[in-house]
């Protein structure tokens, strides 16, 4: 039995990674979401919907939300405080305001600790899976390959039993378009409905009160470009028609 622990935000990338793990034979998965006081908390609700969908399809996926709100309140980021969330493309300088200091490393540390605990109980390998991708490199330093490699090394030398934890970050050399293309293949292999899976995700940093996207934040724009490039309509909810 292949087992994995996944950092599942409820966004597009980590959700596609969850489907990819299932397609690669990981039959027992512990997904972990993080509530760090983010404005776009609707992503956690979307994640729960996808977990329920996958469970209804017979997949053994569990979901646990870790409360980091007290930590998030101490961090300076437009995603966790009253700063205006900037609009535009990731490559714009002001997009650095959307950085949450050390976010992926905090998440990775918790996911790794859970994997260590699971492997020690059964004395076999457990994989951790993280959805950082190439498109994040311009703005988010903790998504860059050199950061991922350094963090992985730190975890391995800092824990007993690290030889039983496999570290997966399969999207480091691909972008959102590549992630969607792989998800189409994986959904077809697993007999899952691609549109249902992606509708149950939220990528926007500026959701409306109803949880819809206005399509203006950097994360929105990157997602919209990816769907255009694969010639499909995004099933997520927008305030304006897809056209």
């Amino acid at each position: 039995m292949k087992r994995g622990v996944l950092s599942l935000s409820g966004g597009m990338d980590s959700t596609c990674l969850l489907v990819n793990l299932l397609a690669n034979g990981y039959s027992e998965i512990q997904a972990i979401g993080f509530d760090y006081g983010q404005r776009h908390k609707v992503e956690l609700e979307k994640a729960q919907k996808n977990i329920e969908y996958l469970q209804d399809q017979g997949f053994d996926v569990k979901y646990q939300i870790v409360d980091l709100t007290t930590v998030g309140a101490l961090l300076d980021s437009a995603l966790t405080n009253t700063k205006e969330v900037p609009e535009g493309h990731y490559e714009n300088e002001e997009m650095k305001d959307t950085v949450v200091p050390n976010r992926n490393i905090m998440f990775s540390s918790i996911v790794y600790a859970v994997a260590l605990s699971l492997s020690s109980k059964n004395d076999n390998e457990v994989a951790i899976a993280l959805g950082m991708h190439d498109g994040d490199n311009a703005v988010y330093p903790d998504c860059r390959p050199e950061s991922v490699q350094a963090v992985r090394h730190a975890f391995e030398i800092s824990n007993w039993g690290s030889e039983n934890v496999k570290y997966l970050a399969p999207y480091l050399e691909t972008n959102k378009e590549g992630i969607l293309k792989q998800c189409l293949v994986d959904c077809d292999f697993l007999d899952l409905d691609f549109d249902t899976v992606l509708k149950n995700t939220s990528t926007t940093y500026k959701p409306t009160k109803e949880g819809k996207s206005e399509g203006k934040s950097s994360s929105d724009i990157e997602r919209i470009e990816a769907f255009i490039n694969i010639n499909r309509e995004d099933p997520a909810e927008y305030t304006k028609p897809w056209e």
Side-chain angles (χ1 to χ4, degrees), residues 123-181:
D123 196 30
N124 58 11
E125 184 179 87
V126 176
I128 72 164
L130 307 163
M132 298 89 82
H133 64 87
D134 182 70
D136 286 335
N137 289 356
V139 176
Y140 304 115
D142 60 356
C143 291
R144 295 171 183 166
E146 55 267 37
S147 173
V148 174
Q149 291 165 6
V151 170
R152 176 180 179 175
H153 178 66
F155 290 165
E156 288 175 347
I157 65 174
S158 302
N159 292 285
W160 301 118
S162 59
E163 66 277 4
N164 288 329
V165 178
K166 185 177 182 180
Y167 200 108
L168 302 176
Y171 299 149
L172 284 178
E173 296 182 1
T174 190
N175 56 19
K176 270 184 161 54
E177 179 183 345
I179 291 170
L180 286 178
K181 287 179 177 178

Side-chain angles (χ1 to χ4, degrees), residues 12-161:
M12 181 187 119
D13 309 327
S14 61
T15 299
C16 289
L17 181 55
L18 170 57
V19 173
N20 184 251
L21 287 178
L22 293 170
N24 280 284
Y26 284 87
S27 55
E28 183 179 319
I29 297 174
Q30 173 66 64
I32 300 177
F34 296 94
D35 181 353
Y36 55 98
Q38 63 268 47
R39 293 180 176 188
H40 51 295
K41 201 172 296 187
V42 64
E43 64 181 1
L44 299 176
E45 299 171 12
K46 296 290 187 179
Q48 183 61 53
K49 289 184 178 180
N50 256 329
I51 295 296
E52 292 169 1
Y53 171 66
L54 292 171
Q55 289 174 342
D56 288 343
Q57 304 305 307
F59 294 103
D60 185 5
V61 182
K62 299 177 177 64
Y63 185 52
Q64 178 72 43
I65 295 177
V66 175
D67 187 347
L68 295 178
T69 52
T70 54
V71 176
L74 299 172
L75 305 180
D76 182 30
S77 170
L79 302 189
T80 59
N81 60 29
T82 57
K83 282 184 180 179
E84 182 66 24
V85 177
E87 297 178 355
H89 202 276
Y90 268 131
E91 295 178 358
N92 298 346
E93 180 69 19
E94 63 268 21
M95 294 309 152
K96 290 182 179 179
D97 284 346
T98 65
V99 171
V100 179
N102 225 35
R103 176 175 58 178
N104 280 326
I105 297 172
M106 287 189 290
F107 295 174
S108 301
S109 181
I110 293 170
V111 169
Y112 199 93
V114 172
L116 281 169
S117 298
L118 290 176
S119 66
S120 66
K121 289 178 182 179
N122 297 279
D123 196 30
N124 58 11
E125 184 179 87
V126 176
I128 72 164
L130 307 163
M132 298 89 82
H133 64 87
D134 182 70
D136 286 335
N137 289 356
V139 176
Y140 304 115
D142 60 356
C143 291
R144 295 171 183 166
E146 55 267 37
S147 173
V148 174
Q149 291 165 6
V151 170
R152 176 180 179 175
H153 178 66
F155 290 165
E156 288 175 347
I157 65 174
S158 302
N159 292 285
W160 301 118

